[in-house]
Each structure stands twice: as structure tokens, then as C-alpha cells.
Amino acid sequence: MLNRKGRRWGADACVVGFSGGGVGAEFGDPLRERMVVPSLKLQDLIEEIRGAKTQAQEREVIQKECAHIRASFRDGDPVHRHRQLAKLLYVHMLGYPAHFGQMECLKLIASSRFTDKRVGYLGAMLLLDERHDAHLLITNSIKNDLSQGIQPVQGLALCTLSTMGSAEMCRDLAPEVEKLLLQPSPYVRKKAILTAVHMIRKVPELSSVFLPPCAQLLHERHHGILLGTITLITELCERSPAALRHFRKVVPQLVHILRTLVTMGYSTEHSISGVSDPFLQVQILRLLRILGRNHEESSETMNDLLAQVATNTDTSRNAGNAVLFETVLTIMDIRSAAGLRVLAVNILGRFLLNSDRNIRYVALTSLLRLVQSDHSAVQRHRPTVVECLRETDASLSRRALELSLALVNSSNVRAMMQELQAFLESCPPDLRADCASGILLAAERFAPTKRWHIDTILHVLTTAGTHVRDDAVANLTQLIGGAQELHAYSVRRLYNALAEDISQQPLVQVAAWCIGEYGDLLLAGNCEEIEPLQVDEEEVLALLEKVLQSHMSLPATRGYALTALMKLSTRLCGDNKAAILEKMPLVERDGPQADEEAKESKEAAQLSEAAPVPTEPQASQLLDLLDLLDGASGDVQHPPPLDPSPGGALIHLLDLPCVPPPPAPIPDLKVFEREGVQLNLSFIRPPENPALLLITVTATNFSEGDVTHFICQAAVPKSLQLQLQAPSGNTVPARGGLPITQLFRILNPNKAPLRLKLRLTYDHFHQSVQEIFEVNNLPVESWQ
Amino acid sequence: MPAGFPPHSTTASLPQHSDRGFPFAAAAAAAAGQAPPRPRPAAAMQFMLLFSRQGKLRLQKWYVPLSDKEKKKITRELVQTVLARKPKMCSFLEWRDLKIVYKRYASLYFCCAIEDQDNELITLEIIHRYVELLDKYFGSVCELDIIFNFEKAYFILDEFLLGGEVQETSKKNVLKAIEQADLLQEEAETPRSVLEEIGLT
């Protein structure tokens, strides 16, 4: 026995090491005596290269050796040519250029020595390809070797031809290969058959040459020949419908071959783990698939056999599973009986439970391909599929996710969503976006109730908000908007979610929108579906303001928050925060202001109308009011009619910028108290308009009895202009009920000292109350 | 070439991978049922690469025509991708529009590229059979054997696969063929003058 292992390459006794000595001339070979350049043995070169400590060193060694090799090629040394080329092939594998060896391949192939041919053909496969014109030059050598060479040489030629043979070469050499198909030696025939496969791939017309021999070849018993033949027939059928029709007639024969294989039992030569020649079985099954596809008769012929293979194949090792897998693919692709299809899907279901990860992988991939066509069969394995979501290998969990989403339907949607949402929380980041969209899509299609739908979307937004698609926000707002009965529920849940986390932009946007729309429901406090929560306006506004100012908020998010704040300012009333009220005039332009003008002119008209009728107690009392003021400031005058273009005064208001910070707040003033009823004044001097003073009058009631029919009237000195807005109401409920507020606008361009007289009338404890008084201790900042 | 035959590109390069996105039900539906006819004529196995854990190439067998540059690029990218895989991951991965089947034996990775419709599980058997053949030939094969006898590794592969297809399913037959070839080589290397002396030329 030859010792293959170890560092021998041929029995060449000529060589000494690279650095050393002379050339041995042991056999007196004249050729050898001529040689001066000692050449390294292949293994010695390999050792030297591996000994290099750095990349640079390696490069140096190799470049030096390549120089020698080139020289050797130039000198045309035939004896060591094979060794030189072998070394060149080695450095080529390391990534170094070796093109100068191409012609040497030709020479070696043309040599009569087997060693030369062996290396030469290897070189041709590694260095030559159809891009190089040089490749055609070996055609002749191949032709010679095919027709005259000994079997191993024919083998080398066929191998090379099937690896790198170009279309031109194939055309040229087809006749030679055809002859070899029918040679007695199976060694050559099996190679010739596969070479024919390659030739057809390159030159499809050659099908006509290689089709006829197939029928006879199919009767061979040599596994290699059979395998090659079946591969050849497969190739022919895939290329030509005519060939496909032609070969349908061999289906019974193929069935017979496969059946023999399966029932044959153990054969040491061809069995793997108790499965007879799985390579051949798989190839036959593949051909059967192509022949049975769309063909009732053929499918029927193979039906029983497929069932037999499916049930009898040993599944304890990969070889058996490989055959089983191919069987399943065939069953699903041909016109098989329904029962057989279910059997196939069940095999895949069993694969899902296999401890071998690879088997689970092919199962998931196949089930995904079948989930549309065989939905109910695949549904039966849903629990197992869902288990696969927990796979640690991402390529498996990805497939499990795809398959799970495809299996969601209206009857399993609740359970499936639970699993998928759990998966969403822990899945790898690159699957998040797909999982989130998948859940949202499935929810849209199969949501059992609107509330469930909202809950599901909310959960996705909280868990994976950053991975959600842009239209999710619009979809959710539309969904909530359309579900009137769930407005309170939605706004409550979204408020809670927002309060916990303002970083997830889609969630924040939806929550902001919802709070803006349904803030009143939020503040109302009760919602039957979740626990009552006491939220007050300040909290809500503070939260929205936080969103507005957070650096995490995108511009779009800020937009949502701002809009919500604006909406809330109209929807929330009775707020005594002057800041909120201040924003209102800025937003309300012509329309609402016209209303205010109308109201004010009505008020002023009432006053002026009342004035010239002294008999009316009201009017006289008003005059009293004015008289008192006259004493202090001079002329008595009716309260001046409203400026015909009240827009003038209001225009000043329009000039106000957004929330200018007041220079220093003017302290509030309590001006009246009687039996638990209080009146408070608060002052604002907008910095941009020094002539303007805004007074908010607030009436509160801490007594045990309600205050009703409350009216407050005011008068100022004639050099000032006074405009009264409509009060927020006429009633102040007992025990700290909602106060009444009213806004006075006073224009004082001359900075005249402010004096203010108030007249209050209301019912309290079943009595009419009337109070007239001048406000004392008005702060100077209110008019200076 | 007559119409109707799918043309074989003589400058075939592996098509660029268009994003293998998330198929969803729609795409799954498209793939379900009938498999489409093979779009291009290529070998079942496109190539096989052997490389070490440091990414050093030990064998490269290409069954499709590609330029040296393309081969280098593919090798570099694929080696990186496979080496990045964790030990507990499955042996299959999708890369460009090919399926990659790989398995590690000791310090060597065996990596095959197969077509979409090929059976991954049988490819694992192909790899395993090749390793068994190497093992039988070298006697407890290790990476060093393949390094120092790379041509032998090629010769053995060429007796097992041809043009990317399995040619011989009997381990015995493959090893016998190699033996005979080695014998021929030994004889061929016997110095010529000795042969002449004996009377053979």
C-alpha cells in the first residue's frame, strides 16, 4: 500500500533544499545534468510559506519562488514542469497571480506521462476558463485523450470538460462523449453521462444527441450510471416540453427502480444509516416530481410508492430525513390524492418537533410555501409553529414569525396575538419592524372587537413604537375617532401610557391627538371600563407641555401636542389661569372677536340706554355710581359709547406676541366679602400694550347656600375706556362650587389714575343682595 | 440558438441579491403550488469552498464560470458571513439568491452553494460523504493533510462529484479509483532510465 499521508510528492530524488547544494545526477540523466536551478518540492514550499511570520515575508517567499518557476517555464524543463505548476496552483489558492502558468497546463496535458496529465488537467480547471482564448487550445488534447487514452486519462478529460468546458468546446467534443456513453466500463460511462449534462447546459441543441441513449442507460444496474442517467433525463425534461412528454413513459420504470431500492434492504456499499443510496433516491424523487407535475396519470402511477417511501423511511438520521423531505416536496407538487397531501404536511409537522435544527428549518420553509394552498392542513400544526417562535437561531424564528402571521384567522386571532405580542417584546431587533407590522395588519383584518383592536395597537406602540410604520398613527386615530363608545376608554388608556413614557413618538402623537379631542372625557373622571382616575387639567396640560418641550419629541410630535393644547383651551372652561385665556385672543381672529364686540356693544348699549331714564331704579343707581366717580375726577359723563371701530382697541390685542412674559405680576386683590361670598380681582398689564389693563373678576362662594342671578357692573373715570366681557355664568354653587369669572378690559392711554366702582346684585339665602362700592387699594402698577 | 431554449450566459456571474425582504402571505402564495421552471441552466452545486477558522482558503471548486475577481469577492464575503455564524445556528443560510449549506469539521469549514430548488439535507450528506472519503484516504484526516496534499483533495473530490453533480455513490468505488490513479502516478514517476534498463519505455 502506498503511504499517501506525509510529505511526499512523487519519487523525485533529485532535489535538494532551496538554499543548498548541487543537483544530484544519480541516474546520469542528461536532462538532469543540464539543470542548474534547484527547485523546491511542493511540500517544502508550503512549509516555507507557512513559516513566514508576516504577510510581507510570505509575499517575499512567494515572489522569489514564482520568479524561479517562471524561469523554469521559460527554460522549458519538462521533467519538473508538473511540480512547478503544482506549486503555482498552491500560491494561486493563496490569492497570488498565476496566469503565466496557463500555457504550461496545455503542455502538461499534451504530455504522455500520467503525472503530467493529472496536474495539467487540474491546472486547466483552476486557471483556464472560457474567458481566455487559451482554453480552446486544450480541445485537441482532450479529444485525443477521450478517444485514445486509458480509462483514468479519459476520466481526467471528462472531468475537466464538465468543469470548464465552454460552449464551443462542447460542440466540438460532443461526438466523442456520445461514443463513451455506450462504452463497457462503468467508470468512464458514468462520467460521460454527467459530461453530457454539462454539455446540454452549455449548448441546449445537444439535447437531440443525448436524449436517445437514455432509455437504454436506464436499464443499467450500476448506481453511478443510474444516477447520472436520471440527472441527464431531469436536465432534458426541464429544458424541453417535448422531452418531458417523451419521458413520461418511463415513470413506471422509475417507480420500479425506487421501489427496489427501498425494499432492498441494507447494502454496505450504498447505504447511509440504513437508507439505501439516499443520493439516488432523492434524484429519482426529483425526476418523478417533474414528470408528475400537472399530469394526472403519472401522478397516480407514483402515488402508492410515494406513500410507501413516506411511511417506511428511517427518520433517525439525516439521510432518511433528506429522502423524506424530497418525498414531501414531490407529493406537494404533483396531483396527489388528498390523503397523501395531508400525510406530507404531517411529516413536516413532525419535522418541526425534531431536535435537529436543520430539519426544523426545512420544515418551516416548506410549510411557508404550503400555507396558502393547504391552509387547513398547516393550521393543525399551529401550536408547534408558535413554539418555534422561541428559537434562538434568528433564521428559524424569522420563518416561524412569517408562518405564524400567515396562520392567523378570525377564530384563533386572540390566542395568536397573545403569542405574537409576547414575541414582539423579546424578539431580535431586526425582526421587530416586521413583527409589529404583521401584528397590526392581522389586527386590522381579524379584530374581534374595536376595543381589542385599540388595545392591540396600543400594546404594539408601547412595545415597539419606533419600529412602527408611518401610517400606524393615522390608522389608529381614525380607528379611535370612529369608535365613539370607546372615546373615554381610549383617551384614558392613552393618557396613562403617555404619562409613563413620552419617548415613543407614534404613541405620543396618538395620545396627544386623543387628549386634544377627548380631553373633556378624560377630566370627567369616570369610565366604566377601567378604574376611575382623577385627572385634573393642570396635570394634563403639564404633560402636554412636557411633550412639547422634550428633546425627544420630533417636530411632528410637537405639532400634535400644540394642536392638542389649542383644542383643550376651547374645550376646558372655568380655568382661572390668565395665561390660558391670554392665548385665546391670539387664535380667535375675525369671527369670534366680532361676537365679542357684539356682546360688548350690547352691554354698553344697556348701560347707555339705562342712563337717560332716571325713574328706573337701575339707571338711577348707575347714575349714583357715576356721581361718586365725578366727585373725584371732574366731569360727569355717560360711559362713552363704544369706539365705532372697536377693532382699534382689539387690533392692539392682535399685536400681542405669543405668551410674552409679564414683567412682574401684579398682586391679586380681594375687593368684597359677604357671608362666604367673595370677589377677587387679578390684573394683567401686557408689556406690548402699556395702555391696556386686563382685570379678571372672580366670584367664589364658600357658604352653605347657592348664589344665583349674579350680575356685576362696573364704572371707571371718563378718561378711561372700559369693556366688559360676558361672565362665565350667573351661578356660584355653594361650598366652593365653580366660580364665576368675568374679564374687564380697560384702556388707559393717558395713564390716568385708575378708579373702579362695582355694583353687585345676586340672590343668596333666599334674599336679594345688592352691593355698590368703590374698589380701594388698587395697585399703582395697574395704571402707571 | 433556436428560440425557446433558455440562453446560457457565457459571462455568467451570480446575480446580485435583491433584498430578500419579508415575503408575507402574498409572496408565500406566489411560491406555493407549482415551482417555476429553472430560470437559468447552472449546476445543482455552484461551488464548494473549504476554509479554516481564520478564513484561509484550503480548496475552491467552481462549477460556474466566473472571473478571478468575482471568485475572490464571493469567497471573501461568504467566508466572512459563515465565520460570523454562532455555533448553535443551523447549517443553512440564504445568501444572494443562493442557498448556502455549510458544516464545520474540526478546524475546517465545508461550504457549498446550491440552487433554490435543491435539497439542503442531501447536500449535508454530500459534504459528509466527502469528509468520509478524505478520512479514509488520509487516515484520520486533519487540516494539515489537506494543506500539504491539496491536489489529492481535488482528485478525490473529482471522483465523487462531476460538473456539480454526484457521480458515484459507492465509497468503495471512489477510493478504488483514486488508488488506481495514484498507482499510475507512482509508475509514471519511476525514473525513465530505469524503465529503459528493464526494457520498458
Side-chain angles (χ1 to χ4, degrees):
Chain A
M1 276 318 234
L2 295 167
N3 174 16
R4 283 102 179 220
K5 201 165 176 170
R7 320 290 186 74
R8 296 190 317 134
W9 172 256
D12 195 324
C14 156
V15 178
V16 187
F18 183 75
S19 53
V23 176
E26 293 138 14
F27 302 98
D29 187 309
L31 204 60
R32 290 218 176 104
E33 274 171 351
R34 263 213 321 270
M35 272 188 50
V36 180
V37 180
S39 64
L40 261 185
K41 270 200 201 164
L42 170 66
Q43 269 115 3
D44 291 334
L45 174 65
I46 296 176
E47 237 183 289
E48 189 164 340
I49 291 173
R50 285 170 64 76
K53 302 256 182 354
T54 64
Q55 187 76 352
Q57 219 178 353
E58 178 187 284
R59 211 175 5 250
E60 206 186 301
V61 169
I62 289 176
Q63 275 170 359
K64 222 177 195 175
E65 184 58 28
C66 283
H68 281 272
I69 294 173
R70 276 183 129 116
S72 168
F73 285 162
R74 263 199 314 272
D75 291 341
D77 168 21
V79 177
H80 299 108
R81 192 179 279 136
H82 68 89
R83 173 199 294 162
Q84 307 294 51
L85 185 66
K87 287 187 280 184
L88 193 58
L89 294 179
Y90 183 79
V91 305
H92 175 251
M93 185 152 60
L94 293 179
Y96 294 86
H99 48 274
F100 55 89
Q102 284 168 4
M103 294 312 278
E104 306 306 308
C105 297
L106 267 54
K107 293 181 195 163
L108 285 166
I109 290 171
S111 158
S112 53
R113 282 174 78 200
F114 184 71
T115 311
D116 288 347
K117 283 191 189 290
R118 225 183 178 189
V119 181
Y121 275 118
L122 179 61
M125 286 190 274
L126 291 175
L127 299 182
L128 292 177
D129 69 56
E130 47 194 57
R131 293 149 201 279
H132 310 111
D133 290 332
H135 85 278
L136 289 168
L137 297 172
I138 63 172
T139 312
N140 231 29
S141 295
I142 293 183
K143 189 180 271 185
N144 288 338
D145 284 340
L146 286 179
S147 47
Q148 293 158 21
I150 52 175
Q151 284 182 29
V153 168
Q154 288 174 317
L156 290 175
L158 288 168
C159 180
T160 306
L161 185 50
S162 65
T163 305
M164 51 72 71
S166 64
E168 221 174 307
M169 283 169 72
C170 290
R171 267 194 214 98
D172 257 347
L173 298 164
E176 264 63 41
V177 174
E178 191 193 351
K179 273 185 232 142
L180 293 175
L181 283 179
L182 304 164
Q183 250 219 10
S185 150
Y187 176 79
V188 176
R189 283 169 91 186
K190 73 187 184 197
K191 290 179 192 270
I193 295 168
L194 285 178
T195 308
V197 172
H198 173 83
M199 287 181 150
I200 291 171
R201 285 173 180 159
K202 286 297 205 183
V203 186
E205 306 95 81
L206 290 173
S207 306
S208 51
V209 172
F210 294 115
L211 191 147
C214 288
Q216 189 184 343
L217 288 168
L218 213 47
H219 288 101
E220 295 293 325
R221 306 188 62 120
H222 186 276
H223 282 224
I225 294 181
L226 261 182
L227 185 54
T229 306
I230 290 168
T231 310
L232 178 57
I233 296 175
T234 307
E235 193 66 36
L236 290 164
C237 291
E238 279 185 327
R239 272 161 197 290
S240 149
L244 180 60
R245 280 192 297 274
H246 171 86
F247 281 113
R248 284 230 175 85
K249 63 176 189 273
V250 306
V251 168
Q253 197 177 352
L254 291 169
V255 166
H256 173 77
I257 295 171
L258 186 51
R259 186 170 278 132
T260 314
L261 260 183
V262 168
T263 52
M264 178 164 85
Y266 186 73
S267 123
T268 41
E269 198 175 346
H270 297 287
S271 295
I272 300 180
S273 313
V275 180
S276 309
D277 206 335
F279 301 113
L280 183 55
Q281 286 198 47
V282 163
Q283 206 66 12
I284 296 174
L285 286 162
R286 223 167 137 184
L287 180 53
L288 286 175
R289 177 152 82 246
I290 291 167
L291 296 172
R293 198 182 279 152
N294 283 329
H295 197 251
E296 205 67 54
E297 198 189 317
S298 301
S299 301
E300 219 175 314
T301 314
M302 53 181 88
N303 207 67
D304 285 345
L305 171 68
L306 292 173
Q308 190 182 357
V309 176
T311 37
N312 291 341
T313 306
D314 185 333
T315 57
S316 54
R317 304 293 290 277
N318 184 62
N321 286 321
V323 171
L324 210 51
F325 181 47
E326 196 73 35
T327 311
V328 166
L329 293 178
T330 299
I331 291 173
M332 297 319 288
D333 220 10
I334 63 171
R335 297 269 175 87
S336 40
L340 198 55
R341 286 184 87 86
V342 171
L343 175 63
V345 174
N346 288 346
I347 290 174
L348 292 177
R350 273 207 321 271
F351 273 5
L352 279 183
L353 297 165
N354 198 303
S355 53
D356 184 347
R357 198 170 293 119
N358 294 329
I359 309 263
R360 297 202 295 275
Y361 178 95
V362 301
L364 284 170
T365 311
S366 307
L367 285 171
L368 196 52
R369 271 189 263 157
L370 297 173
V371 71
Q372 297 303 314
S373 57
D374 295 79
H375 192 86
S376 45
V378 179
Q379 272 286 358
R380 264 177 240 136
H381 302 281
R382 187 169 46 83
T384 328
V385 172
V386 166
E387 270 303 305
C388 291
L389 285 171
R390 308 188 213 299
E391 293 276 358
T392 45
D393 183 344
S395 55
L396 266 77
S397 56
R398 173 179 277 278
R399 276 168 176 72
L401 175 61
E402 286 181 45
L403 194 51
S404 301
L405 286 168
L407 287 174
V408 177
N409 61 27
S410 42
S411 43
N412 63 32
V413 63
R414 281 186 196 265
M416 286 299 278
M417 280 300 138
Q418 239 180 334
E419 295 282 352
L420 288 166
Q421 282 174 337
F423 178 66
L424 182 63
E425 281 169 23
S426 58
C427 73
D430 55 342
L431 286 180
R432 279 258 163 98
D434 293 326
C435 188
S437 341
I439 291 177
L440 292 176
L441 263 171
E444 203 172 300
R445 285 181 69 192
F446 300 113
T449 64
K450 277 198 179 145
R451 177 177 152 172
W452 179 93
H453 195 178
I454 290 172
D455 284 341
T456 304
I457 301 183
L458 196 58
H459 183 264
V460 171
L461 289 183
T462 2
T463 324
T466 42
H467 297 267
V468 161
R469 278 181 11 207
D470 295 336
D471 59 1
V473 173
N475 286 344
L476 184 55
T477 54
Q478 194 181 32
L479 177 67
I480 294 175
Q484 198 185 356
E485 68 281 14
L486 292 167
H487 286 170
Y489 174 77
S490 307
V491 71
R492 181 66 48 75
R493 288 220 54 200
L494 281 162
Y495 176 80
N496 287 340
L498 186 63
E500 273 184 47
D501 179 9
I502 62 166
S503 65
Q504 306 252 39
Q505 297 302 293
L507 178 67
V508 174
Q509 288 174 10
V510 176
W513 173 86
C514 207
I515 293 171
E517 284 293 302
Y518 312 120
D520 49 334
L521 296 174
L522 177 64
L523 295 168
N526 44 351
C527 168
E528 35 185 63
E529 298 191 84
I530 54 181
E531 284 181 21
L533 170 73
Q534 203 50 31
V535 183
D536 66 38
E537 295 161 13
E538 286 189 36
E539 288 176 321
V540 176
L541 297 171
L543 186 57
L544 286 173
E545 203 177 318
K546 191 171 153 198
V547 169
L548 196 57
Q549 293 177 352
S550 165
H551 66 277
M552 292 185 282
S553 296
L554 297 171
T557 311
R558 289 179 214 261
Y560 274 95
L562 199 55
T563 312
L565 281 166
M566 292 194 297
K567 286 184 196 170
L568 283 177
S569 66
T570 62
R571 287 185 170 87
L572 301 178
C573 50
D575 184 22
N576 58 2
K577 275 210 150 61
I580 292 296
L581 291 168
E582 215 172 75
K583 284 179 190 149
M584 276 166 58
L586 295 171
V587 177
E588 290 152 15
R589 299 235 156 184
D590 298 332
Q593 268 160 0
D595 289 343
E596 283 169 13
E597 290 165 34
K599 278 190 228 155
E600 282 150 13
S601 50
K602 242 189 0 192
E603 299 262 13
Q606 276 174 3
L607 290 172
S608 41
E609 268 170 62
V613 184
T615 50
E616 283 191 30
Q618 238 181 333
S620 63
Q621 279 156 356
L622 258 177
L623 276 172
D624 293 343
L625 208 67
L626 296 167
D627 280 344
L628 287 166
L629 283 172
D630 279 351
S633 61
D635 309 345
V636 179
Q637 262 196 23
H638 298 294
L642 270 180
D643 190 343
S645 58
L650 297 168
I651 281 170
H652 292 299
L653 294 172
L654 292 170
D655 287 340
L656 288 175
C658 209
V659 202
I666 304 170
D668 289 3
L669 192 64
K670 184 163 93 171
V671 300
F672 170 81
E673 166 135 42
R674 175 179 161 156
E675 289 170 311
V677 180
Q678 272 181 28
L679 203 72
N680 235 43
L681 301 183
S682 58
F683 306 90
I684 295 263
R685 290 286 297 278
E688 266 66 18
N689 192 351
L692 179 65
L693 170 66
L694 301 171
I695 300 180
T696 307
V697 178
T698 309
T700 51
N701 176 12
F702 293 102
S703 70
E704 295 297 303
D706 294 349
V707 164
T708 54
H709 302 100
F710 183 94
I711 294 176
C712 173
Q713 290 166 318
V716 293
K718 66 175 179 0
S719 56
L720 282 68
Q721 274 187 14
L722 170 65
Q723 292 153 9
L724 300 174
Q725 275 201 9
S728 64
N730 302 104
T731 305
V732 190
R735 295 196 209 104
L738 196 66
I740 295 171
T741 55
Q742 190 167 13
L743 181 68
F744 296 175
R745 284 201 189 101
I746 296 172
L747 272 174
N748 186 3
N750 303 320
K751 293 198 190 290
L754 175 67
R755 291 175 68 185
L756 184 65
K757 208 158 192 183
L758 295 176
R759 177 168 176 261
L760 308 175
T761 56
Y762 58 92
D763 289 347
H764 191 210
F765 293 128
H766 309 288
Q767 287 176 348
S768 294
V769 175
Q770 184 192 250
E771 296 275 339
I772 302 175
F773 56 93
E774 182 170 357
V775 177
N776 298 318
N777 307 317
L778 282 167
V780 288
E781 300 93 337
S782 61
W783 54 270
Q784 269 184 347
Chain B
M1 249 182 235
F5 286 100
H8 181 94
S9 157
T10 50
T11 54
S13 54
L14 292 172
Q16 283 310 304
H17 159 70
S18 62
D19 204 54
R20 189 176 277 277
F22 207 68
F24 270 152
Q34 312 305 320
R38 278 219 266 209
R40 64 174 197 288
M45 186 180 297
Q46 307 255 313
F47 57 81
M48 181 189 288
L49 303 174
L50 265 66
F51 50 90
S52 71
R53 296 225 293 218
Q54 288 75 42
K56 278 238 140 94
L57 200 59
R58 298 301 178 206
L59 185 143
Q60 47 172 338
K61 188 77 187 179
W62 298 86
Y63 294 110
V64 284
L66 293 167
S67 71
D68 245 9
K69 197 165 146 204
E70 282 165 319
K71 286 180 191 168
K72 280 197 176 140
K73 182 160 188 267
I74 291 169
T75 305
R76 193 173 48 237
E77 282 179 27
L78 195 51
V79 166
Q80 240 177 20
T81 308
V82 171
L83 287 177
R85 304 270 291 181
K86 302 195 199 70
K88 290 281 187 197
M89 297 176 91
C90 69
S91 293
F92 314 129
L93 63 103
E94 277 152 11
W95 185 79
R96 301 199 184 181
D97 68 338
L98 291 171
K99 295 203 278 203
I100 304 293
V101 179
Y102 74 94
K103 199 158 165 143
R104 203 185 107 210
Y105 289 85
S107 60
L108 265 184
Y109 282 89
F110 288 71
C111 185
C112 298
I114 58 174
E115 284 206 38
D116 213 34
Q117 59 263 41
D118 292 330
N119 182 333
E120 293 100 324
L121 300 181
I122 204 72
T123 311
L124 277 176
E125 291 301 322
I126 291 176
I127 292 176
H128 192 72
R129 173 55 63 88
Y130 182 44
V131 172
E132 279 180 326
L133 290 167
L134 290 169
D135 197 57
K136 215 44 196 267
Y137 181 80
F138 286 109
S140 254
V141 68
C142 63
E143 192 186 342
L144 274 181
D145 293 319
I146 302 194
I147 294 169
F148 283 94
N149 300 279
F150 74 95
E151 354 71 68
K152 295 292 172 66
Y154 276 108
F155 296 151
I156 293 169
L157 185 60
D158 286 341
E159 290 297 334
F160 176 42
L161 303 178
L162 200 90
E165 310 278 357
V166 177
Q167 71 177 278
E168 180 58 68
T169 58
S170 157
K171 248 191 291 188
K172 188 180 77 178
N173 288 353
V174 172
L175 293 167
K176 204 160 59 166
I178 295 285
E179 244 179 70
Q180 284 179 351
D182 282 350
L183 212 55
L184 266 180
Q185 194 172 314
E186 292 270 335
E187 288 167 6
E189 284 156 14
T190 311
R192 233 175 266 143
S193 53
V194 170
L195 284 173
E196 279 166 348
E197 274 173 14
I198 298 171
L200 306 162
T201 310

